[in-house]
Amino acid sequence: MSIASINPTTGQQLQIFPTLSDDLLKAKIIESERAFQDYRQTSWEQRSQWLHRAASLLRDDRQSLEWAKLMTLEMGKPIEQAIAEIQKCALVCDYYAEHGAAYLAPEIVTTDASESRIEYHPLGTILAVMPWNFPFWQVFRFAAPTLMAGNVALLKHASNVPQCAIAIEEIFLQSGFPPGVFQTLLISADRVESIVKSPQVKAATLTGSEPAGASLAQTAGSVLKKTVLELGGSDPFIVTTSADLDAAVAVGVKARLLNNGQSCIAAKRFIVLEAIADDFTAKFVEAFRKLQIGDPLQTATDAGPLATLAGLEQIDRQVRDSIAGGAECLIGGKPWSGLPGFFYEPTILKNIPPTCATYRDEFFGPVALLFTVPDLDAAIALANDSPFGLGASAWTQDDSERDRLIRELDAGSVFINGMVKSDPRLPFGGIKRSGYGRELGRSGILEFVNIKTIWIK
Ligand code: NDP
């Protein structure tokens, strides 16, 4: 078995890697348990130093550009976004280096004991199953809190980004983390089950599709191990009559097209009140028309290729099914053939009927779904009429509308007059079929610790 790195801009194979043999995989799992026994004894100061060093490496101009290029070559992200992603990884390392110890400091609680308190202890080896869409960020936002808490990590990265996976292990080693504390496993998804069941592995997290999340959770449930799941989304982007329309259009286009449309928290359903719908639609379509499609290594490119041929085929099928089911295509609607890779034209589909099979789908590509609604009640009802509940963005300058939107939108986060984004300082995660648990902030570092109660008579 092998894992191939394919450039989605050209369709050409870049490199091919053998997958780990069963024996080597077993050895790495045992090594992680051995590493944990030493690593758990290290001080906050020591872990914090290693994380700060990882941040410095990520900020090194020459190296960070190399890693950014690696992402762009393996999965097609526009290069400027890749550079920004590396910078954000540095931020999350510094964030937990600075705050981790305080977040996990013992808490005194007054009870009938002479002394009672809560302590936070590491669990051991945590498995991370990660996707290709933010190949560095998704891993670092898991790894920084996990390692700061004293756990050790095994990474099963998506099969189309093996070079990124290898580079990340190298960064942690170069930062000073002892061998075995962070290990990359080059394996296919069908090997995850046996890893989760290994006694050395204490918990797992997965970012990716619903089927992958459900499969991991089922396995982990069968051996009673904790999971955190960050799955799909079909985030609403609501524009009310009081909104700053030009700002909403500019941010809406960015929020839909970021990462060539392949982000779980991308704005996917644009829900616009009828009174301003014509105006919004004209500006939105015009902004899509101006987007530069092309080689993601060129800084002028707004939209690069989809990461895989399967992703391209899926989005094309969803668009065709939506149009056949009654949606109106305002722009785009087909693959783009300017380069040989997996490109799709930025597309806007208007008013997919609820009867259409794709109405509740996640569209993981550069396709905006536009809906017009008579009033705010209808906007909120439509926003919540989704199996997902990851993020929501709403545009209004009216305080009472704002308060209603915050209260009534069923989502893990609500952003008012801004695009949904992750931030090391704020918890991140979803409800409904978007998953459970939280990453980032204090909530993130508390997911994989033993909250130990101490009671002394
Ligand atoms: P997957 O969910 O298949 O892949 C994500 C990760 O899970 C990869 O490491 C993958 O490994 C692994 N995986 C896949 N199946 C299983 C399984 N049964 N058990 C354990 N691990 C598994 O995403 P795809 O890349 O196939 O994308 C499909 C769809 O998923 C997208 O269209 C989008 O809707 C959603 N998605 C959401 C993401 C998000 O950020 N929330 C990110 C990526 C995808 P391998 O690569 O070896 O298959």
Side-chain angles (χ1 to χ4, degrees):
M1 281 287 287
S2 56
I3 286 183
S5 180
I6 291 170
N7 182 348
T9 303
T10 62
Q12 301 291 313
Q13 186 173 295
L14 299 168
Q15 275 207 55
I16 189 151
F17 299 88
T19 53
L20 284 179
S21 67
D22 285 342
D23 284 349
L24 256 179
L25 175 58
K26 208 167 161 191
K28 281 182 183 279
I29 294 171
I30 290 168
E31 164 68 0
S32 101
E33 168 65 20
R34 189 210 53 75
F36 173 61
Q37 295 311 333
D38 295 337
Y39 185 65
R40 68 188 306 178
Q41 311 294 341
T42 56
S43 64
W44 298 117
E45 291 73 25
Q46 177 64 82
R47 291 176 210 159
S48 164
Q49 247 177 40
W50 286 328
L51 274 179
H52 277 311
R53 211 176 294 157
S56 308
L57 282 177
L58 289 159
R59 288 204 179 94
D60 177 273
D61 283 348
R62 193 187 54 77
Q63 285 207 357
S64 66
L65 186 60
E66 288 307 307
W67 291 319
K69 277 187 188 160
L70 197 55
M71 280 194 270
T72 297
L73 285 172
E74 280 201 311
M75 52 67 68
K77 180 188 299 286
I79 187 70
E80 299 277 329
Q81 295 177 27
I83 292 168
E85 181 169 335
I86 300 287
Q87 299 307 311
K88 198 166 169 179
C89 293
L91 218 58
V92 80
C93 289
D94 278 342
Y95 178 76
Y96 282 106
E98 278 158 27
H99 299 279
Y103 285 162
L104 300 179
E107 290 167 37
I108 305 292
V109 180
T110 308
T111 66
D112 57 335
S114 65
E115 193 182 332
S116 48
R117 61 179 182 271
I118 306 163
E119 291 185 3
Y120 299 96
H121 292 258
L123 292 177
T125 301
I126 314 295
L127 171 69
V129 181
M130 289 290 143
W132 42 265
N133 57 343
F134 294 90
F136 269 63
W137 169 245
Q138 309 270 26
V139 176
F140 276 91
R141 83 174 174 197
F142 149 76
T146 304
L147 299 185
M148 191 62 200
N151 295 303
V152 301
L154 291 174
L155 168 67
K156 182 271 179 275
H157 217 325
S159 295
N160 54 328
V161 288
Q163 297 191 71
C164 291
I166 292 167
I168 293 168
E169 181 183 86
E170 197 50 42
I171 290 169
F172 284 115
L173 280 170
Q174 275 183 35
S175 311
F177 285 97
V181 168
F182 183 99
Q183 297 182 84
T184 282
L185 312 171
L186 289 186
I187 51 165
S188 55
D190 57 3
R191 314 270 294 278
V192 168
E193 182 177 348
S194 72
I195 302 174
V196 173
K197 287 184 171 167
S198 307
Q200 294 86 357
V201 172
K202 300 299 185 284
T205 180
L206 181 143
T207 299
S209 64
E210 278 180 81
S215 163
L216 179 91
Q218 199 167 9
T219 305
S222 75
V223 283
L224 299 174
K225 292 183 185 173
K226 182 175 179 178
T227 51
V228 167
L229 300 179
E230 203 269 271
L231 309 177
S234 188
D235 285 6
F237 186 100
I238 297 175
V239 189
T240 71
T241 48
S242 69
D244 175 342
L245 217 55
D246 288 330
V249 169
V251 174
V253 173
K254 192 173 162 205
R256 177 58 285 208
L257 267 297
L258 185 77
N259 207 29
N260 307 328
Q262 304 157 114
S263 167
C264 48
I265 46 165
K268 296 188 180 116
R269 296 178 296 139
F270 292 80
I271 302 171
V272 183
L273 268 70
E274 269 156 18
I276 50 153
D278 286 350
D279 211 5
F280 179 89
T281 306
K283 288 172 192 261
F284 198 49
V285 172
E286 192 45 35
F288 264 55
R289 204 183 306 285
K290 288 192 181 137
L291 292 167
Q292 287 275 335
I293 316 174
D295 181 351
L297 281 172
Q298 303 297 322
T299 50
T301 297
D302 300 305
L306 297 213
T308 61
L309 179 59
L312 173 66
E313 288 170 349
Q314 175 172 319
I315 201 86
D316 189 35
R317 197 166 44 243
Q318 287 173 309
V319 169
R320 282 189 284 108
D321 289 352
S322 305
I323 295 170
E328 184 187 349
C329 182
L330 301 183
I331 187 168
K334 57 182 190 308
W336 182 78
S337 50
L339 285 167
F342 316 135
F343 291 84
Y344 201 78
E345 290 185 1
T347 296
I348 302 174
L349 297 178
K350 190 174 170 193
N351 289 337
I352 296 187
T355 48
C356 183
T358 55
Y359 173 74
R360 288 189 174 78
D361 274 10
E362 174 178 34
F363 282 67
F364 219 62
V367 178
L369 310 181
L370 177 63
F371 298 89
T372 53
V373 288
D375 52 30
L376 194 63
D377 287 345
I380 293 172
L382 178 54
N384 289 340
D385 186 19
S386 165
F388 300 108
L390 197 52
S393 170
W395 291 72
T396 174
Q397 306 206 58
D398 178 300
D399 288 353
S400 65
E401 280 184 351
R402 183 196 62 200
D403 293 346
R404 263 199 79 186
L405 288 156
I406 291 171
R407 200 170 50 245
E408 294 180 29
L409 286 171
D410 296 336
S413 63
V414 175
F415 281 62
I416 302 292
N417 299 330
M419 66 186 267
V420 179
K421 58 179 196 260
S422 57
D423 179 320
R425 296 164 293 191
L426 290 169
F428 182 89
I431 58 170
K432 302 203 275 185
R433 296 179 80 100
S434 293
Y436 50 75
R438 291 292 180 267
E439 297 189 276
L440 302 176
R442 183 168 189 238
S443 317
I445 203 169
L446 290 180
E447 289 286 1
F448 295 122
V449 288
N450 172 14
I451 302 174
K452 194 181 267 187
T453 296
I454 314 296
W455 191 97
I456 303 165
K457 190 170 162 73

